[in-house]
Amino acid sequence: MVHQTISTRMNSAASASSKISHMNWKSLRLATWALIVGMLGACSTPPAPPPAPGAAPRATSPAPGPGDAGPLPGVRLQAKSRWVPVRWGELPGFTDDALHEAWNAWLRSCERPAPAFAALCAEVRQLSIASGEEQRAWMAARLQPYRIEALDGSAEGLLTGYYEPLLEAARQPGGGYAVPLYRLPPMERKPWYTRQQIDTLPEAQAQLAGRAIAWVRDPVDALVLHIQGSGRLRITEPDGSQRLVRLAYAGSNDQPYQSVGRWLLDQGATRDATWPGIKAWLAANPQRVNELLWSNPRYVFFREEPLDALDAGFGPRGAQGVALTPGRSIAVDKGSIPYGTPVWLASSGPQTQLARLVLAQDTGSAIVGAVRADYFTGWGAEAGELAGRLKQGLRLWALWPK
């Protein structure tokens, strides 16, 4: 996937917010959203972890905000979707979401705003320490919700998850570290060699000589890293020291992505095509590892990035070019939803219940269609467990400037 740290830090935010006195804040809480926009300073808070499974979100109907009672605009058409205008009351759980968590992702989008949202970013920054009620009132006044549908009118879609794997690695092969992770090679032709050809053809391997960033133990873990598009490595250096780095997406062989889970289902080999199910099948069929790996011809190349303490608190850059926020960033089909669009997401299923504000900040080769999203769950084992099992129904609403 093209799920591709942070180039701009919000260091000035905390000092700006500290200048607001207790009396000023009390007055602001009583003011209208317009006064808030003119007076509040910006700040940011750490990204929230992915939600745990719980009760289904309540379909609450908030009181109409400014402008929510007037005539609705017309339908908007995108290349792969149509957007049908609705009232805010259609959005499940709109009054319950912890909007301040999503505001962190919105601030990131404002580092590289889409043209339609650039004029709103000053207000988004100023509202970063406002209450949820004040943020909701501003949204209702400045944005129009649109139900996202396929061009045939279907409003139901699919939600999956992705994450940043954390792998143990070594700078040199040996001691069980035998699977290379490569930098992008020069490519004289496209598409380039398939995954199987890269593993087996001497001419392909010759072009990758000296381009290994690091080596990992498990070829399936390497495949997961390729599919997720980025990850974290705890690398053992030749002198025995260790350091944490990020591998970011640098390119691919331009071969089509094929789901190894779908390959297993088509083979009749399993009924559980989640990553836990795939790994269980591999444990029972170790002689077929290469057969499974080579069913996906797409191969991903990486670049190494340093990972300091601040960068480690955020995800990799998505296709929008901004750092991803766990639980608040999604990958979308850009032909359906432009990057940087705030989106209301609702999904109920066996893994989690979601009704929340998210930002469209990434894409992926498997993320195709109007009502389709990949939910960034974070990094590490817990995030990977949720991402590996998440596959459930989805509804989306784009929130577009009036």
Side-chain angles (χ1 to χ4, degrees):
M1 286 191 175
V2 189
H3 301 132
Q4 298 120 357
T5 271
I6 301 169
S7 60
T8 303
R9 292 164 172 80
M10 307 301 291
N11 289 340
S12 63
S15 61
S17 64
S18 67
K19 297 177 183 178
I20 300 176
S21 69
H22 175 74
M23 289 303 296
N24 284 340
W25 175 242
K26 184 176 180 180
S27 298
L28 288 171
R29 293 296 301 272
L30 298 175
T32 64
W33 69 266
L35 291 177
I36 296 163
V37 166
M39 297 175 66
L40 288 176
C43 76
S44 62
T45 54
R58 292 181 293 113
T60 55
S61 298
D68 196 34
L72 292 173
V75 172
R76 297 179 64 93
L77 293 178
Q78 304 291 322
K80 295 184 178 180
S81 65
R82 68 172 195 159
W83 297 5
V84 180
V86 300
R87 304 292 183 189
W88 285 95
E90 180 175 313
L91 277 55
F94 181 62
T95 59
D96 300 328
D97 188 25
L99 291 179
H100 68 277
E101 297 173 3
W103 233 257
N104 293 292
W106 206 335
L107 290 170
R108 295 297 169 192
S109 277
C110 282
E111 294 172 10
R112 299 188 64 176
F117 291 92
L120 295 181
C121 279
E123 299 175 20
V124 171
R125 295 186 183 100
Q126 290 164 339
L127 282 161
S128 62
I129 59 171
S131 69
E133 290 75 14
E134 290 157 344
Q135 290 168 340
R136 265 179 276 273
W138 177 84
M139 290 171 63
R142 298 292 261 149
L143 304 174
Q144 170 62 50
Y146 292 84
R147 184 177 61 252
I148 298 176
E149 300 178 351
L151 295 177
D152 65 4
S154 173
E156 300 294 325
L158 175 66
L159 180 69
T160 52
Y162 70 113
Y163 76 113
E164 221 182 354
L166 173 60
L167 303 180
E168 299 294 330
R171 194 65 77 177
Q172 300 293 335
Y177 294 98
V179 183
L181 301 170
Y182 288 115
R183 296 180 181 87
L184 184 69
M187 296 182 184
E188 297 179 356
R189 62 183 178 89
K190 291 187 177 182
W192 208 55
Y193 298 103
T194 66
R195 179 178 296 274
Q196 182 175 1
Q197 291 169 335
I198 289 170
D199 286 345
T200 59
L201 291 183
E203 55 265 38
Q205 294 172 358
Q207 295 188 44
L208 291 169
R211 305 195 73 85
I213 298 172
W215 304 73
V216 296
R217 294 181 183 274
D218 188 344
V220 178
D221 286 343
L223 175 66
V224 172
L225 189 64
H226 285 207
I227 292 173
Q228 300 303 316
S230 68
R232 302 177 182 210
L233 299 183
R234 187 178 291 109
I235 294 183
T236 300
E237 300 288 0
D239 64 2
S241 63
Q242 289 191 333
R243 65 193 186 102
L244 190 65
V245 303
R246 171 173 278 142
L247 292 195
Y249 175 90
S252 78
N253 60 350
D254 283 330
Q255 295 284 349
Y257 170 80
Q258 300 292 337
S259 166
V260 295
R262 171 49 57 188
W263 179 81
L264 281 175
L265 291 173
D266 290 345
Q267 297 278 316
T270 185
R271 294 182 179 179
D272 182 3
T274 66
W275 273 110
I278 292 169
K279 290 186 175 182
W281 181 86
L282 285 168
N285 299 273
Q287 75 283 1
R288 299 187 68 184
V289 169
N290 282 339
E291 189 179 352
L292 177 132
L293 296 176
W294 295 341
S295 71
N296 176 24
R298 186 175 178 84
Y299 198 96
V300 168
F301 303 99
F302 302 97
R303 65 177 182 273
E304 181 179 336
E305 296 180 347
L307 196 61
D308 61 26
L310 180 59
D311 292 335
F314 296 87
R317 288 183 182 275
Q320 188 188 356
V322 302
L324 303 178
T325 302
R328 296 293 177 166
S329 297
I330 59 171
V332 297
D333 186 333
K334 65 179 180 179
S336 175
I337 306 173
Y339 297 147
T341 302
V343 175
W344 195 263
L345 179 152
S347 179
S348 297
Q351 301 306 320
T352 189
Q353 309 291 332
L354 297 170
R356 55 176 39 205
L357 178 63
V358 295
L359 275 292
Q361 295 175 324
D362 203 2
T363 193
S365 57
I367 311 306
V368 179
V371 190
R372 180 73 176 92
D374 219 14
Y375 181 73
F376 180 61
T377 61
W379 45 86
E382 185 177 349
E385 179 70 17
L386 175 59
R389 293 190 178 279
L390 187 57
K391 189 174 184 180
Q392 57 191 48
L394 174 68
R395 290 176 293 155
L396 297 173
W397 293 261
L399 310 181
W400 200 252
K402 291 183 177 179

